[in-house]
Coordinates of all heavy atoms in Angstrom, one line a residue:
I1 N 0.8 -1.2 0.0 CA 0.0 0.0 0.0 C 0.9 1.2 0.0 O 1.7 1.5 0.9 CB -0.9 0.0 1.2 CG1 -1.7 -1.3 1.3 CG2 -1.9 1.2 1.2 CD1 -2.2 -1.6 2.7
A2 N 0.9 2.0 -1.1 CA 1.7 3.1 -1.2 C 1.2 4.1 -2.3 O 0.6 3.7 -3.2 CB 3.2 2.7 -1.6
N3 N 1.4 5.4 -2.1 CA 1.0 6.4 -3.1 C -0.5 6.5 -3.3 O -0.9 6.9 -4.4 CB 1.8 6.2 -4.4 CG 3.3 6.0 -4.3 OD1 3.9 6.7 -3.5 ND2 3.8 5.0 -4.9
G4 N -1.2 6.1 -2.4 CA -2.7 6.0 -2.6 C -3.1 4.8 -3.5 O -4.2 4.8 -3.9
L5 N -2.1 3.9 -3.8 CA -2.4 2.8 -4.7 C -2.2 1.5 -4.0 O -1.6 1.4 -2.9 CB -1.5 2.9 -6.0 CG -1.6 4.3 -6.7 CD1 -0.6 4.3 -7.8 CD2 -3.1 4.5 -7.4
L6 N -2.6 0.4 -4.7 CA -2.4 -0.9 -4.2 C -1.5 -1.7 -5.2 O -1.8 -1.6 -6.5 CB -3.7 -1.7 -4.0 CG -4.7 -1.1 -3.0 CD1 -6.0 -1.9 -3.0 CD2 -4.1 -1.1 -1.6
Y7 N -0.5 -2.4 -4.7 CA 0.4 -3.1 -5.7 C 0.5 -4.6 -5.3 O 0.6 -5.0 -4.1 CB 1.8 -2.6 -5.6 CG 2.0 -1.1 -6.0 CD1 1.8 -0.1 -5.0 CD2 2.3 -0.7 -7.3 CE1 1.9 1.2 -5.3 CE2 2.4 0.6 -7.6 CZ 2.2 1.6 -6.6 OH 2.3 2.9 -7.0
W8 N 0.4 -5.4 -6.3 CA 0.6 -6.9 -6.2 C 1.9 -7.2 -7.0 O 2.0 -7.0 -8.2 CB -0.5 -7.7 -6.8 CG -1.8 -7.7 -5.9 CD1 -2.1 -8.8 -5.0 CD2 -2.8 -6.7 -5.7 NE1 -3.3 -8.5 -4.4 CE2 -3.7 -7.2 -4.8 CE3 -2.9 -5.5 -6.2 CZ2 -4.8 -6.5 -4.4 CZ3 -4.0 -4.7 -5.9 CH2 -5.0 -5.2 -4.9
W9 N 2.9 -7.7 -6.2 CA 4.2 -8.1 -6.9 C 4.1 -9.5 -7.5 O 3.2 -10.3 -7.2 CB 5.3 -8.0 -5.9 CG 5.4 -6.7 -5.2 CD1 5.0 -6.4 -3.9 CD2 5.8 -5.5 -5.8 NE1 5.2 -5.1 -3.6 CE2 5.6 -4.5 -4.8 CE3 6.3 -5.1 -7.0 CZ2 6.0 -3.1 -5.0 CZ3 6.6 -3.8 -7.3 CH2 6.5 -2.8 -6.2
P10 N 4.9 -9.8 -8.5 CA 4.8 -11.1 -9.2 C 4.9 -12.2 -8.2 O 5.8 -12.2 -7.3 CB 6.0 -11.1 -10.1 CG 6.3 -9.6 -10.4 CD 5.9 -8.9 -9.1
S11 N 4.1 -13.2 -8.4 CA 4.0 -14.4 -7.5 C 4.4 -15.6 -8.4 O 3.9 -15.8 -9.5 CB 2.6 -14.6 -6.9 OG 2.5 -15.8 -6.3
V12 N 5.2 -16.4 -7.9 CA 5.8 -17.6 -8.7 C 5.0 -18.8 -8.4 O 5.2 -19.9 -8.9 CB 7.2 -17.9 -8.4 CG1 8.1 -16.7 -8.8 CG2 7.5 -18.1 -6.9
C13 N 4.0 -18.7 -7.5 CA 3.2 -19.9 -7.1 C 2.3 -20.3 -8.3 O 1.6 -19.4 -8.9 CB 2.4 -19.6 -5.9 SG 1.3 -21.0 -5.3
D14 N 2.1 -21.6 -8.6 CA 1.3 -22.0 -9.6 C 0.2 -22.9 -9.1 O -0.4 -23.7 -9.8 CB 2.0 -22.8 -10.7 CG 2.6 -24.0 -10.2 OD1 2.6 -24.3 -8.9 OD2 3.1 -24.8 -11.0
C15 N -0.2 -22.7 -7.8 CA -1.2 -23.5 -7.2 C -2.6 -23.3 -7.7 O -3.5 -24.1 -7.5 CB -1.2 -23.4 -5.6 SG -1.4 -21.7 -5.1
Q16 N -2.9 -22.1 -8.3 CA -4.2 -21.8 -8.8 C -4.0 -20.7 -9.9 O -3.0 -20.0 -9.9 CB -5.2 -21.4 -7.8 CG -4.9 -20.1 -7.1 CD -5.8 -19.8 -6.0 OE1 -5.6 -20.0 -4.9 NE2 -6.9 -19.2 -6.4
L17 N -5.1 -20.6 -10.7 CA -5.0 -19.5 -11.7 C -5.0 -18.2 -11.0 O -5.6 -17.9 -10.0 CB -6.3 -19.6 -12.5 CG -6.4 -18.5 -13.6 CD1 -5.4 -18.5 -14.6 CD2 -7.8 -18.5 -14.2
T18 N -4.1 -17.3 -11.5 CA -3.9 -15.9 -11.0 C -3.7 -14.9 -12.0 O -3.6 -15.4 -13.2 CB -2.8 -15.9 -9.9 OG1 -2.8 -14.6 -9.3 CG2 -1.5 -16.1 -10.5
L19 N -3.6 -13.7 -11.8 CA -3.2 -12.7 -12.7 C -1.7 -12.4 -12.5 O -1.3 -11.9 -11.5 CB -4.0 -11.4 -12.5 CG -3.9 -10.3 -13.6 CD1 -4.4 -10.8 -14.9 CD2 -4.6 -9.1 -13.2
Y20 N -0.9 -12.8 -13.5 CA 0.6 -12.8 -13.3 C 1.1 -11.5 -13.6 O 0.5 -10.6 -14.4 CB 1.2 -13.9 -14.2 CG 0.8 -15.3 -13.7 CD1 -0.1 -16.0 -14.4 CD2 1.4 -15.8 -12.6 CE1 -0.4 -17.3 -14.0 CE2 1.2 -17.1 -12.2 CZ 0.2 -17.9 -12.9 OH -0.1 -19.1 -12.5
G21 N 2.3 -11.2 -13.1 CA 3.0 -9.9 -13.3 C 2.8 -9.0 -12.2 O 2.2 -9.3 -11.2
L22 N 3.3 -7.8 -12.4 CA 3.1 -6.7 -11.4 C 1.8 -6.0 -11.7 O 1.6 -5.5 -12.8 CB 4.3 -5.7 -11.4 CG 4.2 -4.4 -10.6 CD1 4.1 -4.8 -9.2 CD2 5.4 -3.6 -10.8
T23 N 0.9 -5.9 -10.7 CA -0.4 -5.2 -10.9 C -0.6 -4.1 -10.0 O -0.3 -4.1 -8.8 CB -1.5 -6.3 -10.6 OG1 -1.3 -7.4 -11.5 CG2 -2.9 -5.7 -11.0
C24 N -1.1 -3.0 -10.5 CA -1.3 -1.8 -9.7 C -2.8 -1.4 -9.9 O -3.3 -1.3 -11.0 CB -0.4 -0.6 -10.2 SG -0.7 0.9 -9.4
L25 N -3.5 -1.1 -8.7 CA -4.8 -0.7 -8.7 C -5.0 0.7 -8.1 O -4.2 1.1 -7.2 CB -5.8 -1.6 -7.9 CG -6.4 -2.7 -8.6 CD1 -5.4 -3.7 -9.2 CD2 -7.4 -3.5 -7.7
G26 N -5.8 1.6 -8.7 CA -6.1 2.9 -8.2 C -7.5 3.1 -7.8 O -8.4 2.2 -8.2
P27 N -7.9 4.2 -7.2 CA -9.3 4.4 -6.9 C -10.1 4.6 -8.1 O -9.8 5.2 -9.1 CB -9.2 5.7 -6.1 CG -7.8 5.9 -5.6 CD -7.0 5.2 -6.7
A28 N -11.3 4.0 -8.1 CA -12.3 4.1 -9.2 C -13.1 5.3 -9.2 O -13.6 5.8 -10.2 CB -13.2 2.9 -9.2
G29 N -13.2 6.0 -8.0 CA -13.9 7.2 -8.0 C -15.4 7.0 -8.3 O -16.0 6.0 -7.9
D30 N -16.0 7.9 -9.1 CA -17.4 7.8 -9.5 C -17.6 7.2 -10.8 O -18.6 7.4 -11.6 CB -18.0 9.1 -9.4 CG -17.4 10.2 -10.3 OD1 -16.4 9.8 -11.0 OD2 -17.9 11.3 -10.4
F31 N -16.6 6.3 -11.3 CA -16.7 5.7 -12.6 C -18.0 4.9 -12.8 O -18.4 4.1 -11.9 CB -15.5 4.8 -12.9 CG -15.5 4.1 -14.2 CD1 -15.0 4.9 -15.3 CD2 -16.0 2.9 -14.5 CE1 -15.0 4.4 -16.6 CE2 -15.9 2.3 -15.7 CZ -15.4 3.1 -16.8
D32 N -18.6 5.1 -13.9 CA -19.9 4.4 -14.2 C -19.6 3.1 -14.8 O -19.2 2.9 -15.9 CB -20.8 5.2 -15.1 CG -22.2 4.6 -15.4 OD1 -22.4 3.5 -14.8 OD2 -22.9 5.1 -16.2
F33 N -19.7 2.0 -14.0 CA -19.4 0.6 -14.5 C -20.5 0.0 -15.3 O -20.3 -1.0 -15.9 CB -19.1 -0.3 -13.3 CG -17.8 0.0 -12.7 CD1 -17.7 0.7 -11.5 CD2 -16.6 -0.6 -13.2 CE1 -16.5 1.0 -10.9 CE2 -15.4 -0.3 -12.6 CZ -15.3 0.4 -11.5
N34 N -21.7 0.6 -15.3 CA -22.8 0.1 -16.1 C -23.4 1.2 -17.0 O -24.6 1.6 -16.8 CB -23.9 -0.5 -15.2 CG -24.9 -1.2 -15.8 OD1 -24.8 -1.6 -17.0 ND2 -26.1 -1.3 -15.1
P35 N -22.7 1.7 -17.9 CA -23.2 2.8 -18.8 C -24.2 2.3 -19.8 O -24.2 1.2 -20.2 CB -21.9 3.3 -19.5 CG -21.1 2.1 -19.7 CD -21.4 1.3 -18.4
E36 N -25.1 3.2 -20.2 CA -26.1 2.9 -21.2 C -25.4 2.9 -22.5 O -24.5 3.8 -22.8 CB -27.1 4.0 -21.2 CG -28.2 3.7 -22.2 CD -29.4 4.7 -22.2 OE1 -29.4 5.5 -21.2 OE2 -30.2 4.8 -23.1
V37 N -25.6 1.9 -23.3 CA -24.9 1.7 -24.6 C -25.7 2.5 -25.7 O -26.9 2.1 -25.9 CB -24.7 0.2 -24.9 CG1 -24.0 0.1 -26.4 CG2 -23.8 -0.5 -23.9
N38 N -25.0 3.4 -26.3 CA -25.6 4.1 -27.5 C -25.1 3.5 -28.7 O -23.9 3.6 -29.1 CB -25.3 5.6 -27.4 CG -26.0 6.4 -28.5 OD1 -26.1 5.9 -29.6 ND2 -26.4 7.6 -28.1
D39 N -25.9 2.7 -29.4 CA -25.5 1.9 -30.6 C -24.9 2.8 -31.6 O -23.9 2.4 -32.3 CB -26.7 1.1 -31.1 CG -26.2 0.2 -32.2 OD1 -25.6 -0.8 -31.9 OD2 -26.5 0.4 -33.4
T40 N -25.4 4.0 -31.8 CA -24.9 4.8 -32.9 C -23.6 5.4 -32.6 O -22.8 5.7 -33.5 CB -25.9 6.0 -33.2 OG1 -26.1 6.8 -32.0 CG2 -27.2 5.4 -33.7
E41 N -23.3 5.6 -31.3 CA -22.0 6.2 -30.9 C -20.9 5.0 -30.8 O -19.8 5.3 -31.1 CB -22.1 6.8 -29.5 CG -22.9 8.0 -29.5 CD -22.9 8.6 -28.1 OE1 -22.4 8.0 -27.1 OE2 -23.5 9.7 -27.9
R42 N -21.3 3.8 -30.5 CA -20.3 2.7 -30.4 C -19.9 2.1 -31.8 O -18.8 1.5 -31.9 CB -20.9 1.6 -29.5 CG -21.1 2.0 -28.1 CD -19.9 2.1 -27.2 NE -20.1 2.2 -25.8 CZ -20.1 1.2 -25.0 NH1 -19.9 0.0 -25.5 NH2 -20.4 1.3 -23.7
R43 N -20.8 2.2 -32.7 CA -20.7 1.4 -34.0 C -20.3 2.3 -35.1 O -20.9 3.4 -35.3 CB -22.0 0.7 -34.3 CG -21.9 -0.2 -35.5 CD -23.1 -1.1 -35.6 NE -24.4 -0.4 -35.5 CZ -25.2 -0.3 -36.4 NH1 -25.0 -0.8 -37.6 NH2 -26.4 0.4 -36.2
E44 N -19.3 1.9 -35.9 CA -18.9 2.6 -37.1 C -19.3 1.7 -38.2 O -18.7 0.6 -38.4 CB -17.4 2.9 -37.1 CG -17.0 3.9 -36.0 CD -15.5 4.2 -36.1 OE1 -14.9 3.7 -37.0 OE2 -15.1 5.0 -35.3

């Protein structure tokens, strides 16, 4: 836990599926995880 962020360092254990490598998470804030999809804006 540092800089207001969370860090997961590489793990060499293969006992179960994981997300490999160095991973950094930051605050999501007010991000809309379920936005309304506008077909005309998304499609070209």
Side-chain angles (χ1 to χ4, degrees):
I1 305 160
N3 311 315
L5 304 174
L6 300 174
Y7 299 89
W8 282 259
W9 305 106
S11 173
V12 297
C13 179
D14 63 353
C15 56
Q16 65 182 95
L17 178 63
T18 186
L19 190 65
Y20 292 105
L22 174 61
T23 305
C24 178
L25 269 61
D30 57 358
F31 182 81
D32 184 4
F33 288 96
N34 188 19
E36 183 178 350
V37 176
N38 186 321
D39 187 73
T40 58
E41 293 180 357
R42 296 285 192 94
R43 181 166 55 110
E44 295 181 2

